[in-house]
């Protein structure tokens, strides 16, 4: 019975690490300094500069590439889901193979199936996140197409459209990030197939890797070159430009 409690503790550690990392990254002051948070600021920069351009074909091409990348990950999550279901179906074969290893790692059949079910749930979660992100990117593309013309950029309607588009854009990126986070934690979850201690080790390793990419990677440090702030002129129109802008 004690062995099962060790597994429960390891899975509890896995869940706590996932939830704590997500809350810290998305809902804390510390997370506002992450790579994802800084990229969110540039989403607004992009939308405001899009508003100033009459020709927006390049912007739509970039959006199409974002959609294609999201569709790729959604398809990959379905493939991973199929692999997890196949692993669940092949419980007996997997246990026979594990029992023949130099170190017997074969758990009870019920525990093995429970591990497979957990992996299936992670893949399902990732698919829903990527699928919803793909849909949100479609909505953002529609809002890009409905962007007011450049000569109306200083109107209240244009400002409201920019804010609306930016919020939806940030939501799409947030759900995409959650799907990728599920992929990373799925890799850590695979450690449970070797035992509770490997699960704790792989989970900690995944959290360290993701933290480093968000706060200490070369990509994150690239924002320190200009103080880490997006161009201020692109965020809000200057008062002088508002006075001199032509009205239709």
């Amino acid at each position: 019975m004690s062995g099962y409690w060790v597994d429960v503790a390891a899975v509890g550690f896995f869940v706590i690490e996932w939830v704590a990392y997500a809350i810290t990254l998305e809902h804390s002051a510390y997370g506002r300094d992450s790579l994802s948070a800084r990229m969110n600021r540039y989403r607004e920069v992009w939308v405001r500069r899009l508003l100033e351009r009459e020709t927006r074909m390049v912007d739509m091409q970039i959006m199409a590439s974002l959609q294609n990348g999201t569709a790729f990950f959604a398809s990959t999550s379905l493939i991973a889901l199929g692999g997890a279901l196949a692993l669940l179906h092949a419980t007996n074969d997997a246990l026979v193979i594990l029992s023949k290893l130099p170190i017997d790692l074969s758990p009870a059949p019920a525990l093995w199936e429970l591990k497979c079910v957990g992996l299936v749930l992670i893949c399902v979660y990732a698919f829903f996140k990527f699928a919803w992100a793909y849909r949100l990117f479609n909505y953002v593309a529609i809002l890009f197409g409905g962007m007011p013309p450049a000569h109306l950029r200083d109107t209240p309607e244009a400002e409201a459209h920019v804010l609306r588009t930016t919020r939806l854009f940030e939501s799409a990126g947030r759900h995409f990030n959650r799907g990728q986070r599920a992929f990373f934690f799925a890799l850590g979850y695979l450690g449970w197939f070797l035992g509770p201690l490997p699960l704790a080790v792989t989970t900690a390793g995944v959290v360290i890797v993701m933290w480093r990419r968000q706060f200490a990677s070369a990509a994150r440090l690239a924002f320190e070159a200009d103080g880490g702030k997006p161009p201020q002129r692109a965020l809000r129109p200057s008062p002088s430009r508002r006075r001199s802008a032509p009205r239709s």
Side-chain angles (χ1 to χ4, degrees):
M1 188 66 179
S2 60
Y4 287 101
W5 283 112
V6 175
D7 286 291
V8 171
V11 174
F13 175 75
F14 173 83
V15 174
I16 291 173
E17 286 293 297
W18 190 339
V19 173
Y21 181 84
I23 292 177
T24 301
L25 192 66
E26 297 182 3
H27 303 288
S28 71
Y30 182 74
R32 297 191 190 103
D33 198 39
S34 66
L35 179 61
S36 296
R38 288 172 180 264
M39 289 307 303
N40 275 339
R41 301 170 196 169
Y42 278 91
R43 296 179 195 273
E44 183 177 354
V45 172
W46 180 11
V47 174
R48 291 192 179 279
R49 288 181 173 173
L50 167 68
L51 181 61
E52 296 178 352
R53 290 191 285 270
E54 289 289 355
T55 304
R56 298 160 179 173
M57 295 177 59
V58 175
D59 302 282
M60 299 304 295
Q61 290 176 350
I62 299 174
M63 179 57 62
S65 68
L66 293 176
Q67 292 175 295
N68 291 337
T70 308
F72 168 78
F73 278 103
S75 301
T76 303
S77 63
L78 284 179
I79 296 174
L81 176 60
L85 291 173
L87 191 62
L88 176 62
H89 181 71
T91 298
N92 294 331
D93 295 336
L95 293 179
V96 170
I97 294 174
L98 290 175
S99 64
K100 294 181 179 180
L101 295 176
I103 301 177
D104 188 6
L105 299 175
S106 57
L111 182 58
W112 175 270
E113 292 177 353
L114 182 61
K115 294 177 180 181
C116 293
V117 169
L119 186 59
V120 168
L121 293 178
I122 294 176
C123 293
V124 170
Y125 173 84
F127 169 75
F128 273 104
K129 286 301 176 182
F130 286 127
W132 183 234
Y134 180 80
R135 189 62 175 168
L136 290 178
F137 279 127
N138 282 341
Y139 293 155
V140 174
I142 294 173
L143 292 180
F144 273 20
M147 190 70 65
H151 67 275
L152 297 178
R153 61 181 176 270
D154 296 323
T155 62
E157 292 79 8
E159 178 66 18
H161 194 86
V162 166
L163 295 178
R164 185 184 307 116
T165 304
T166 301
R167 290 170 184 168
L168 194 62
F169 208 172
E170 291 177 355
S171 180
R174 183 164 55 251
H175 283 279
F176 180 83
N177 290 338
R178 290 173 180 174
Q180 279 200 325
R181 191 181 308 145
F183 269 14
F184 280 111
F185 273 100
L187 294 177
Y189 183 87
L190 293 177
W192 194 22
F193 287 90
L194 301 178
L197 181 58
L199 172 60
V201 173
T202 53
T203 299
V206 165
V207 172
I208 291 173
V209 169
M210 290 194 300
W211 174 87
R212 186 184 180 280
R213 290 185 176 182
Q214 287 290 340
F215 298 98
S217 63
R220 165 63 184 81
L221 295 177
F223 287 89
E224 300 298 334
D226 58 352
K229 297 182 180 179
Q232 294 298 317
R233 191 174 63 178
L235 291 179
R236 293 289 185 274
S238 64
S240 60
R241 194 181 65 180
R242 289 174 182 172
R243 291 192 297 266
S244 60
R247 303 289 179 178
S248 61

